[in-house]
Amino acid sequence: MTSSETTAGSVRPRPVVDRLPRYAAGKPPVAVDGLASYKLSSNENPLPPIPAVAEAIAAQTDFNRYPDPLTTKLRAALADFLDVPAEDIVTGAGSLGALNQLLTTFAGQNDDGKADEVIYAWRSFEAYPISVGLAGAESVRIPLTPDGRHDLDAMVAAVTVRTKVILLCTPNNPTGPILTAEETERFINAVPSDVVVVIDEAYQEFVRAEDAVDGIRMYRKYPNVVVLRTFSKAHGLAGLRVGYSVSQPELTQYLRVAATPFAVSQIAEQAAVVSLQNFDQVVERVQSLVDERDRVTAGLRELGWFVPEAQGNFVWLNLGENSTEFAQLAGEHALSVRAFGNEGVRVSIGEAEANTRFLELCAIYTKPPQRS
């Protein structure tokens, strides 16, 4: 058959693509007469970047040039901020970009044709199975405990000779609980030292639990630990796509090979640097969202709802088969929330008015969820 005779239907992707779930981004709210609409479906920061960042973005003019592939200024700023060597930082297009670089480096198909295994809790970050599958590896999903936490004992038991990477999401998205320092360290010591343990801390700035794990402390102590962080959430830079990983030289030497060139634009780099320079203002904004999160959580519990420990910028409703019904009802009140099949609903913390309307909706809903 010549190229002119080839039809589009004969072009097929890699077999794994047909087996992967599609990433479902949070939908915008539907307009409702008489109501302001609010998007609570994507864990976005409802507040804009701090003024200094907006000014820095407006001042950028060098878009005709490629960005610095090593994001030298940002890594230097992060090195000072985190008190780590700049050489231990590898940037990416959001923490998801950094994760994809990591999986490409350490998990995939072996020479014997068998796939490496990547273990993670489920449900957790929706992109995990997609990223793992596209890397050529096999997902090993370990169910969460009834209160939405990682079952670390079951995750240890799932380790095999083919396990190459373990993903720990803390706070867990979409359920909210953190991993403690004690249990995480015990877990790291229980798995083989040649398995890469990824501590995904996309929501780290929102954590207020005193016993929460600090990924940077774990990275300093264990050569097989990688920390993922992002500027998308607390810093309000989701649209600029800038994140990073932190790991010791034994790992970064390989991560740099797999890093996507020019993944972080000059506008994203400058915005992130300026946001770090004004981190006190970022903290004030984050605290306002934490206060709203705590108000929402307390309000839900007063209404009789079971809510897992919420340490991110979202809350989880264990609605099960009623998840779609609740999401549709929220839409009728000009609120978009994120339903996950028949498992539950994640609601991002938004503007105060949005949060109040959400609580009012929960007060009239007749099927509050309980711990399963």
Side-chain angles (χ1 to χ4, degrees), residues 126-192:
E126 190 174 8
Y128 285 167
I130 302 171
S131 295
V132 170
L134 289 176
E138 180 179 340
S139 289
V140 179
R141 305 182 190 184
I142 306 302
L144 296 169
T145 63
D147 54 355
R149 305 189 77 251
H150 285 52
D151 187 341
L152 293 179
D153 290 339
M155 293 177 77
V156 169
V159 174
T160 72
V161 293
R162 294 220 170 258
T163 304
K164 293 296 184 291
V165 177
I166 300 174
L167 307 177
L168 303 177
C169 186
T170 178
N172 186 56
N173 173 21
T175 56
I178 51 97
L179 291 168
T180 69
E182 187 276 332
E183 68 183 346
T184 304
E185 189 155 18
R186 178 160 31 89
F187 175 83
I188 295 170
N189 283 308
V191 302

Side-chain angles (χ1 to χ4, degrees), residues 270-291:
Q270 183 63 18
V273 168
V274 173
S275 199
L276 284 176
Q277 291 170 344
N278 297 274
F279 190 66
D280 57 332
Q281 297 175 43
V282 174
V283 169
E284 289 179 6
R285 295 184 174 212
V286 168
Q287 187 57 49
S288 72
L289 295 173
V290 169
D291 292 342

Side-chain angles (χ1 to χ4, degrees), residues 93-112:
S95 58
L96 177 56
L99 172 65
N100 287 336
Q101 293 168 177
L102 191 151
L103 291 171
T104 299
T105 304
F106 295 109
Q109 292 284 334
N110 285 302
D111 292 340
D112 60 6

